[in-house]
Amino acid sequence: MKLSITQKTLAILSTSLLWNNEVNAFAPISSRAASTFVSTSTTTRVAQSTLTANGDTAVESASVSASLSSSAAAASTTASVPKAWDCDEEANCVSIDACDEEKCRTTLDVRIHGEWYDLSGWRKAHPAGGHWIDWYDGRDATEVMDAFHSEKARGMWQRLPKTVAATALQLEQDVAPDSSTQIAFREMRAELVKDGWWERDYVHEAKLLGIWFSIVGGAIATAHSIPALSICLTGLAMTNAGWIGHDYIHGVDKFTDKMRMFVAVAGGLGPTWWSDKHNKHHALSK
């Protein structure tokens, strides 16, 4: 059966694009844009060569070739200018021309509650530093997101740009799926939040601080009369301050933000140093 010139063109284009998709499915993320451009150019050249080989259809060949060349040129312009994301502290992101991969991150994908997000533009705006996000590149960060962030922050990550579908599919194949234990834990946490367990109990906070002040007062009162008792009470006061400060530095609401320096004054621990070391212990425990 003799194929028409249009049928030949479509057959060649379809074969080339199918090959391109098959190869790109397993290609590194950074090489996919370049691979797509090369394949498009190759397809154009093959189609042009096939059509001009038939002298009877030279006019139609020139027209189709010109059209394909124009499309390839547009694709070349687009592919030659890689894009990245730039985000502010409110997680509002805009697309910009990507910088050199050696100078800044252009791919940084993290899974949160089953969705993959491109955090390459958000990392430099992340209040706690970009190193936290870097550690979770290509991993699930759901528990860290829920545990270490305020209610405001937990409402911001949905605004971040999602990972390209093809990349997300590849990552999903490489990363272990959520276990039944993880799913059950998240469901339990959601129920506790709904029942009000994450709401601040200021009466309870007053009791804890009252106990600490009482111990400190006892240590001061017995410093000269009963030194041994004063030393024991001072030790108890510092231990108590450490645990209260632990909760305040871990806290994710405005009250704990105001009380963050308590552990520095009462327990002698630097909040920033302690937070970085202790949160790292929780975030990278395995």
PDB file of all heavy atoms in Angstrom, residues 20-34:
ATOM      1  N   ASN A  20      11.441   9.193  21.964  1.00  0.00           N
ATOM      2  CA  ASN A  20      11.882  10.233  22.885  1.00  0.00           C
ATOM      3  C   ASN A  20      11.255  10.052  24.260  1.00  0.00           C
ATOM      4  O   ASN A  20      11.916  10.171  25.283  1.00  0.00           O
ATOM      5  CB  ASN A  20      11.512  11.600  22.314  1.00  0.00           C
ATOM      6  CG  ASN A  20      11.924  12.725  23.254  1.00  0.00           C
ATOM      7  OD1 ASN A  20      13.092  12.840  23.577  1.00  0.00           O
ATOM      8  ND2 ASN A  20      10.979  13.520  23.684  1.00  0.00           N
ATOM      9  N   ASN A  21       9.965   9.744  24.315  1.00  0.00           N
ATOM     10  CA  ASN A  21       9.280   9.554  25.596  1.00  0.00           C
ATOM     11  C   ASN A  21       9.824   8.345  26.333  1.00  0.00           C
ATOM     12  O   ASN A  21       9.974   8.348  27.553  1.00  0.00           O
ATOM     13  CB  ASN A  21       7.774   9.390  25.370  1.00  0.00           C
ATOM     14  CG  ASN A  21       7.132  10.694  24.952  1.00  0.00           C
ATOM     15  OD1 ASN A  21       7.677  11.765  25.229  1.00  0.00           O
ATOM     16  ND2 ASN A  21       6.001  10.624  24.272  1.00  0.00           N
ATOM     17  N   GLU A  22      10.106   7.271  25.602  1.00  0.00           N
ATOM     18  CA  GLU A  22      10.628   6.062  26.232  1.00  0.00           C
ATOM     19  C   GLU A  22      11.982   6.328  26.872  1.00  0.00           C
ATOM     20  O   GLU A  22      12.275   5.910  27.972  1.00  0.00           O
ATOM     21  CB  GLU A  22      10.759   4.933  25.188  1.00  0.00           C
ATOM     22  CG  GLU A  22       9.424   4.403  24.689  1.00  0.00           C
ATOM     23  CD  GLU A  22       8.663   3.657  25.783  1.00  0.00           C
ATOM     24  OE1 GLU A  22       9.313   3.162  26.710  1.00  0.00           O
ATOM     25  OE2 GLU A  22       7.436   3.586  25.712  1.00  0.00           O
ATOM     26  N   VAL A  23      12.866   7.053  26.138  1.00  0.00           N
ATOM     27  CA  VAL A  23      14.188   7.349  26.665  1.00  0.00           C
ATOM     28  C   VAL A  23      14.113   8.294  27.845  1.00  0.00           C
ATOM     29  O   VAL A  23      14.752   8.108  28.876  1.00  0.00           O
ATOM     30  CB  VAL A  23      15.079   7.954  25.551  1.00  0.00           C
ATOM     31  CG1 VAL A  23      16.395   8.469  26.130  1.00  0.00           C
ATOM     32  CG2 VAL A  23      15.329   6.905  24.466  1.00  0.00           C
ATOM     33  N   ASN A  24      13.271   9.326  27.734  1.00  0.00           N
ATOM     34  CA  ASN A  24      13.182  10.332  28.800  1.00  0.00           C
ATOM     35  C   ASN A  24      12.632   9.768  30.088  1.00  0.00           C
ATOM     36  O   ASN A  24      12.871  10.305  31.156  1.00  0.00           O
ATOM     37  CB  ASN A  24      12.310  11.500  28.347  1.00  0.00           C
ATOM     38  CG  ASN A  24      13.083  12.443  27.437  1.00  0.00           C
ATOM     39  OD1 ASN A  24      14.313  12.399  27.422  1.00  0.00           O
ATOM     40  ND2 ASN A  24      12.393  13.263  26.684  1.00  0.00           N
ATOM     41  N   ALA A  25      11.869   8.725  30.038  1.00  0.00           N
ATOM     42  CA  ALA A  25      11.300   8.141  31.256  1.00  0.00           C
ATOM     43  C   ALA A  25      12.391   7.659  32.194  1.00  0.00           C
ATOM     44  O   ALA A  25      12.195   7.568  33.396  1.00  0.00           O
ATOM     45  CB  ALA A  25      10.382   6.971  30.886  1.00  0.00           C
ATOM     46  N   PHE A  26      13.595   7.338  31.655  1.00  0.00           N
ATOM     47  CA  PHE A  26      14.665   6.823  32.489  1.00  0.00           C
ATOM     48  C   PHE A  26      15.881   7.741  32.490  1.00  0.00           C
ATOM     49  O   PHE A  26      16.912   7.414  33.046  1.00  0.00           O
ATOM     50  CB  PHE A  26      15.096   5.433  31.987  1.00  0.00           C
ATOM     51  CG  PHE A  26      13.999   4.423  32.047  1.00  0.00           C
ATOM     52  CD1 PHE A  26      13.202   4.168  30.943  1.00  0.00           C
ATOM     53  CD2 PHE A  26      13.724   3.756  33.224  1.00  0.00           C
ATOM     54  CE1 PHE A  26      12.175   3.240  31.012  1.00  0.00           C
ATOM     55  CE2 PHE A  26      12.697   2.831  33.294  1.00  0.00           C
ATOM     56  CZ  PHE A  26      11.914   2.569  32.189  1.00  0.00           C
ATOM     57  N   ALA A  27      15.746   8.900  31.880  1.00  0.00           N
ATOM     58  CA  ALA A  27      16.882   9.825  31.813  1.00  0.00           C
ATOM     59  C   ALA A  27      16.964  10.651  33.076  1.00  0.00           C
ATOM     60  O   ALA A  27      15.972  10.858  33.763  1.00  0.00           O
ATOM     61  CB  ALA A  27      16.716  10.755  30.601  1.00  0.00           C
ATOM     62  N   PRO A  28      18.180  11.134  33.461  1.00  0.00           N
ATOM     63  CA  PRO A  28      18.309  12.041  34.611  1.00  0.00           C
ATOM     64  C   PRO A  28      17.468  13.281  34.399  1.00  0.00           C
ATOM     65  O   PRO A  28      17.285  13.737  33.271  1.00  0.00           O
ATOM     66  CB  PRO A  28      19.815  12.372  34.608  1.00  0.00           C
ATOM     67  CG  PRO A  28      20.448  11.247  33.860  1.00  0.00           C
ATOM     68  CD  PRO A  28      19.439  10.823  32.822  1.00  0.00           C
ATOM     69  N   ILE A  29      16.982  13.845  35.483  1.00  0.00           N
ATOM     70  CA  ILE A  29      16.088  14.997  35.395  1.00  0.00           C
ATOM     71  C   ILE A  29      16.747  16.146  34.660  1.00  0.00           C
ATOM     72  O   ILE A  29      16.143  16.796  33.820  1.00  0.00           O
ATOM     73  CB  ILE A  29      15.683  15.452  36.814  1.00  0.00           C
ATOM     74  CG1 ILE A  29      14.896  14.323  37.500  1.00  0.00           C
ATOM     75  CG2 ILE A  29      14.856  16.724  36.774  1.00  0.00           C
ATOM     76  CD1 ILE A  29      14.648  14.583  38.950  1.00  0.00           C
ATOM     77  N   SER A  30      18.030  16.392  34.949  1.00  0.00           N
ATOM     78  CA  SER A  30      18.708  17.539  34.366  1.00  0.00           C
ATOM     79  C   SER A  30      18.888  17.421  32.862  1.00  0.00           C
ATOM     80  O   SER A  30      19.120  18.412  32.182  1.00  0.00           O
ATOM     81  CB  SER A  30      20.084  17.706  35.021  1.00  0.00           C
ATOM     82  OG  SER A  30      20.853  16.539  34.825  1.00  0.00           O
ATOM     83  N   SER A  31      18.813  16.198  32.290  1.00  0.00           N
ATOM     84  CA  SER A  31      19.063  16.021  30.869  1.00  0.00           C
ATOM     85  C   SER A  31      17.800  15.930  30.044  1.00  0.00           C
ATOM     86  O   SER A  31      17.857  15.822  28.835  1.00  0.00           O
ATOM     87  CB  SER A  31      19.882  14.730  30.666  1.00  0.00           C
ATOM     88  OG  SER A  31      19.100  13.597  31.022  1.00  0.00           O
ATOM     89  N   ARG A  32      16.633  15.977  30.696  1.00  0.00           N
ATOM     90  CA  ARG A  32      15.395  15.733  29.949  1.00  0.00           C
ATOM     91  C   ARG A  32      15.069  16.844  28.975  1.00  0.00           C
ATOM     92  O   ARG A  32      14.661  16.605  27.849  1.00  0.00           O
ATOM     93  CB  ARG A  32      14.239  15.543  30.914  1.00  0.00           C
ATOM     94  CG  ARG A  32      14.348  14.212  31.641  1.00  0.00           C
ATOM     95  CD  ARG A  32      13.177  13.978  32.544  1.00  0.00           C
ATOM     96  NE  ARG A  32      13.361  12.693  33.210  1.00  0.00           N
ATOM     97  CZ  ARG A  32      12.592  12.253  34.178  1.00  0.00           C
ATOM     98  NH1 ARG A  32      11.607  12.989  34.603  1.00  0.00           N
ATOM     99  NH2 ARG A  32      12.807  11.083  34.733  1.00  0.00           N
ATOM    100  N   ALA A  33      15.271  18.104  29.389  1.00  0.00           N
ATOM    101  CA  ALA A  33      14.949  19.220  28.486  1.00  0.00           C
ATOM    102  C   ALA A  33      15.830  19.189  27.255  1.00  0.00           C
ATOM    103  O   ALA A  33      15.374  19.349  26.137  1.00  0.00           O
ATOM    104  CB  ALA A  33      15.123  20.554  29.213  1.00  0.00           C
ATOM    105  N   ALA A  34      17.140  18.938  27.439  1.00  0.00           N
ATOM    106  CA  ALA A  34      18.055  18.895  26.309  1.00  0.00           C
ATOM    107  C   ALA A  34      17.726  17.735  25.385  1.00  0.00           C
ATOM    108  O   ALA A  34      17.762  17.853  24.160  1.00  0.00           O
ATOM    109  CB  ALA A  34      19.500  18.770  26.804  1.00  0.00           C
TER     110      ALA A  34
END
